[in-house]
Amino acid sequence: MDHQFNLEHCVRRAIYPDNPGILTAYLSAAEDAAADVSCSNACKIHARTFDLLLTTVCDPLLPTTWRWLCLDYMYKPLCALQALASHAEAAAALRTRTYHLQMLSEINHPSSF
């Protein structure tokens, strides 16, 4: 757990922005942790992973390349939530996170009427 917390800290703060392996290691650790727990807890792990990536993407103080990298990998926790979507909690978490991603997209690329 300490290892995962350390990776989470490194991702959120972009401690090593030139090392994308940190991000992939964090995502792998989250997937491994979710594989060993109940559906409800797996949902929480994937939701937390997505939330961390979203918060990182939205932080203007972090390097742009790191923020884009996090954006590129946001699909992983969303797909994991979708795989669990038969569980009510996972379906609700998926809807919420999809909405947040849509709002992020709308803020950055407003549609013209």
Side-chain angles (χ1 to χ4, degrees):
M1 189 66 164
D2 289 335
H3 178 67
Q4 187 171 350
F5 177 78
N6 187 36
L7 288 172
E8 186 174 281
H9 176 76
C10 289
V11 169
R12 176 60 189 96
R13 302 286 179 228
I15 303 296
Y16 305 104
D18 296 327
N19 184 359
I22 296 291
L23 179 58
T24 56
Y26 169 66
L27 293 169
S28 293
E31 288 173 7
D32 291 345
D36 295 335
V37 295
S38 68
C39 187
S40 177
N41 286 335
C43 172
K44 290 175 185 172
I45 290 169
H46 294 306
R48 179 183 171 107
T49 303
F50 178 88
D51 292 346
L52 177 91
L53 294 177
L54 180 65
T55 303
T56 304
V57 166
C58 293
D59 188 342
L61 300 178
L62 297 179
T64 303
T65 54
W66 186 254
R67 294 169 60 206
W68 279 105
L69 183 66
C70 289
L71 182 62
D72 286 345
Y73 279 95
M74 287 177 81
Y75 77 92
K76 284 186 165 264
L78 275 182
C79 288
L81 283 171
Q82 186 172 17
L84 299 171
S86 61
H87 188 270
E89 185 178 353
L94 178 62
R95 282 192 303 276
T96 301
R97 272 56 184 197
T98 301
Y99 175 77
H100 289 159
L101 192 55
Q102 288 170 339
M103 290 299 99
L104 177 64
S105 176
E106 186 62 31
I107 289 168
N108 290 309
H109 303 287
S111 52
S112 55
F113 292 95

